[in-house]
Amino acid sequence: MSRVLHIGLILGMLISSAPFLNGQKLWAEVEVDKNSVYVGEPVQVSITVYTSTWFTRGIDLGNLRVENAFTVYFRPVSTTKTDAGNTYAGVQLIYKVFPYTQKDLLFPELNIQVESPEEGGYRGITQNVRSKAVRIRVKPAPATLESEDWLVTPGLRVSETYSKSLNDIRVGDVVERSVVRNADETVADLIPPISWDSVDGTRMYLQRPSVENIKGRTQFSARRTDRVQYLFEDEGEVDFPEQVLYWFHPSRQKLFKKTLPSHTVYVAANPDLGMLQTIRDSLSLMESTDSMESIEGGGKKSWTQWLILAVAGTSVFFFAFVIYRRVPIWRANRSERRTRYFKSESYAFKQVLHFAKNPDSKEHANAVYHWLDTLPLHSPTLEAAFNQGNQPPRTLVEMNPSAWRSLRKALDENRASKTSDWINP
């Protein structure tokens, strides 16, 4: 009886090691280039399957889903490994994994189907090999940077364009501003949107951004284009503030920034100011249409749809213009609005800024005292303005555009703190 039991145990051991009875060795290894990463920082995961014979069919798992992360799969690569004098053929599958939340990642255990012949054989046999799961710790973005601006990339290239020259702008013109960012080793979904600053004297209309992932044989990059349209509504100087874009270099562990310069635009008068409302309505309609399509996940319009929209928009614009030009009361209202605007404090102050480039000129002095006449001061003098704004007195030559804005802001704050029905136009 004991002899039968002994033989049974030996048979059981042989059966349990059946994949190695023919001498073939087949296994999988998983490697990561980092055990911890920041949110948005890629980690490379390499899955390699080895055999002591060869593979009769390629291995391709495609793109894998990793919870709380984007994954990018590159092509399989043939490799070899030498161990104890034996050489093993291998196929390596490389993935880049990009965490998008502050939650640790678990690259899953995989059941990999391969086709490889036994030792001494030539016909491939389908077999399954399991790889181990790997956990990766995800670190939050540094507290010194707002999470909305967080971008991890070893290289960022930025370009900015305007649809129209800023040297020839009139009231009612529409200019589209585009900022294109090309980032290495990231996906387009991780490039944060630009936070556009409002610009005095304009109305801003956000446009739908465009994104693109660019995959090479061994490299991966992404492109995002953010666009905004500005409708110029006021005559005079308009200041576009500088735009600062940040990114974090993962291997150098440093934060970098790219600054898009500020622009000052002089907006000339336009006799057809009454068309502003029609332009506003058209831009608002286009903006709301883009927003609805983004929410509903609609695809791109066909060229026929764009043609219909273009013809309809042009027709509405033309008939509105004809009707507007033919109705006397509208023309009168337009003239009245223009007259009020040229008498306003806002226009007077813009003239001050315009002539402040030549602070010792007669035109500058005239513009300053005309602006003082529009303010509710005890006396229309520069000294009274400094006193009411709680600022030290200075001469006209010492006042640059920045100083004029500071004085005006101080006057506004002084009036806001007191009981007054004065409103800054």
Side-chain angles (χ1 to χ4, degrees):
M1 183 67 181
S2 60
R3 184 177 181 182
V4 174
L5 181 60
H6 183 66
I7 294 174
L9 289 173
I10 293 175
L11 289 175
M13 292 175 62
L14 291 174
I15 293 173
S16 64
S17 59
F20 304 99
L21 284 176
N22 54 24
Q24 183 189 22
K25 190 174 181 182
L26 186 68
W27 79 99
E29 295 179 357
V30 181
E31 295 179 341
V32 294
D33 63 342
K34 305 168 189 174
N35 292 318
S36 64
V37 292
Y38 285 104
V39 173
E41 180 181 359
V43 55
Q44 179 170 301
V45 182
S46 302
I47 305 167
T48 310
V49 181
Y50 293 102
T51 178
S52 57
T53 56
W54 64 89
F55 295 102
T56 56
R57 187 179 64 183
I59 303 174
D60 189 353
L61 300 177
N63 205 6
L64 298 177
R65 182 180 180 276
V66 179
E67 192 172 358
N68 300 316
F70 300 110
T71 61
V72 177
Y73 169 59
F74 291 92
R75 63 185 179 88
V77 179
S78 298
T79 184
T80 60
K81 182 175 184 177
T82 301
D83 183 30
N86 297 317
T87 301
Y88 302 94
V91 175
Q92 187 176 68
L93 312 175
I94 300 176
Y95 292 83
K96 289 291 182 81
V97 182
F98 301 83
Y100 56 76
T101 62
Q102 189 191 335
K103 294 182 179 179
D104 289 352
L105 299 182
L106 182 65
F107 194 86
E109 180 183 88
L110 301 176
N111 184 30
I112 307 170
Q113 189 176 81
V114 299
E115 194 174 278
S116 177
E118 300 176 347
E119 290 285 351
Y122 64 91
R123 181 176 298 174
I125 299 175
T126 301
Q127 304 179 66
N128 290 324
V129 181
R130 298 198 68 85
S131 66
K132 295 181 179 179
V134 178
R135 185 172 296 276
I136 304 157
R137 189 170 71 88
V138 179
K139 301 177 290 186
T144 54
L145 187 67
E146 295 292 336
S147 59
E148 292 80 5
D149 298 327
W150 178 249
L151 171 62
V152 179
T153 175
L156 180 69
R157 296 166 298 283
V158 184
S159 62
E160 180 183 33
T161 58
Y162 290 85
S163 62
K164 178 180 174 66
S165 172
L166 299 181
N167 297 323
D168 184 23
I169 300 296
R170 297 193 305 169
V171 174
D173 282 350
V174 178
V175 175
E176 182 172 281
R177 181 185 185 187
S178 301
V179 174
V180 181
R181 284 171 290 172
N182 289 277
D184 299 327
E185 293 296 312
T186 190
V187 292
D189 297 272
L190 292 175
I191 302 178
I194 290 180
S195 299
W196 301 103
D197 293 324
S198 59
V199 178
D200 292 339
T202 70
R203 185 168 296 197
M204 185 171 63
Y205 300 89
L206 294 178
Q207 304 300 297
R208 182 191 300 172
S210 60
V211 295
E212 180 184 6
N213 290 316
I214 306 166
K215 179 182 174 183
R217 292 174 64 87
T218 58
Q219 299 294 325
F220 193 83
S221 63
R223 179 185 297 119
R224 179 185 174 103
T225 303
D226 289 276
R227 306 191 314 276
V228 62
Q229 288 184 338
Y230 294 100
L231 169 62
F232 291 88
E233 298 185 313
D234 294 336
E235 181 183 350
E237 286 192 351
V238 172
D239 295 317
F240 286 83
E242 66 180 21
Q243 193 81 37
V244 182
L245 304 172
Y246 297 92
W247 76 93
F248 182 78
H249 197 297
S251 59
R252 299 175 66 179
Q253 295 288 296
K254 286 185 177 181
L255 187 67
F256 293 86
K257 71 176 182 179
K258 169 72 174 179
T259 302
L260 300 177
S262 60
H263 298 283
T264 299
V265 181
Y266 180 73
V267 183
N270 190 339
D272 293 326
L273 285 177
M275 295 305 298
L276 273 178
Q277 187 58 48
T278 302
I279 298 174
R280 290 192 196 105
D281 294 343
S282 299
L283 291 174
S284 297
L285 178 61
M286 293 176 63
E287 184 180 44
S288 62
T289 302
D290 279 350
S291 300
M292 287 302 296
E293 288 185 358
S294 177
I295 293 173
E296 295 172 0
K300 295 182 179 179
K301 287 184 172 63
S302 65
W303 68 271
T304 53
Q305 290 174 308
W306 282 116
L307 180 61
I308 293 172
L309 285 175
V311 172
T314 304
S315 301
V316 170
F317 184 86
F318 174 76
F319 285 113
F321 178 75
V322 171
I323 294 173
Y324 173 81
R325 299 288 291 183
R326 289 181 177 273
V327 179
I329 188 171
W330 288 0
R331 295 202 303 269
N333 288 340
R334 181 184 67 174
S335 177
E336 182 181 348
R337 286 196 300 270
R338 284 172 55 83
T339 302
R340 285 202 308 268
Y341 171 70
F342 288 129
K343 291 181 179 180
S344 68
E345 183 273 342
S346 178
Y347 176 76
F349 184 72
K350 288 185 177 181
Q351 292 296 103
V352 172
L353 295 180
H354 175 66
F355 291 110
K357 299 174 183 177
N358 299 310
D360 55 351
S361 65
K362 182 179 179 181
E363 290 83 359
H364 182 224
N366 291 337
V368 169
Y369 287 105
H370 176 65
W371 173 59
L372 294 173
D373 287 336
T374 65
L375 298 175
L377 301 172
H378 298 298
S379 60
T381 64
L382 190 58
E383 182 180 3
F386 284 127
N387 289 336
Q388 191 163 321
N390 297 319
Q391 291 197 355
R394 282 179 283 184
T395 64
L396 290 179
V397 179
E398 295 173 328
M399 296 290 287
N400 55 33
S402 177
W404 284 119
R405 293 189 184 93
S406 177
L407 175 59
R408 189 190 192 205
K409 181 179 180 182
L411 291 173
D412 289 344
E413 292 175 349
N414 180 275
R415 281 187 289 272
S417 64
K418 298 179 181 180
T419 302
S420 172
D421 58 354
W422 190 87
I423 299 176
N424 181 19

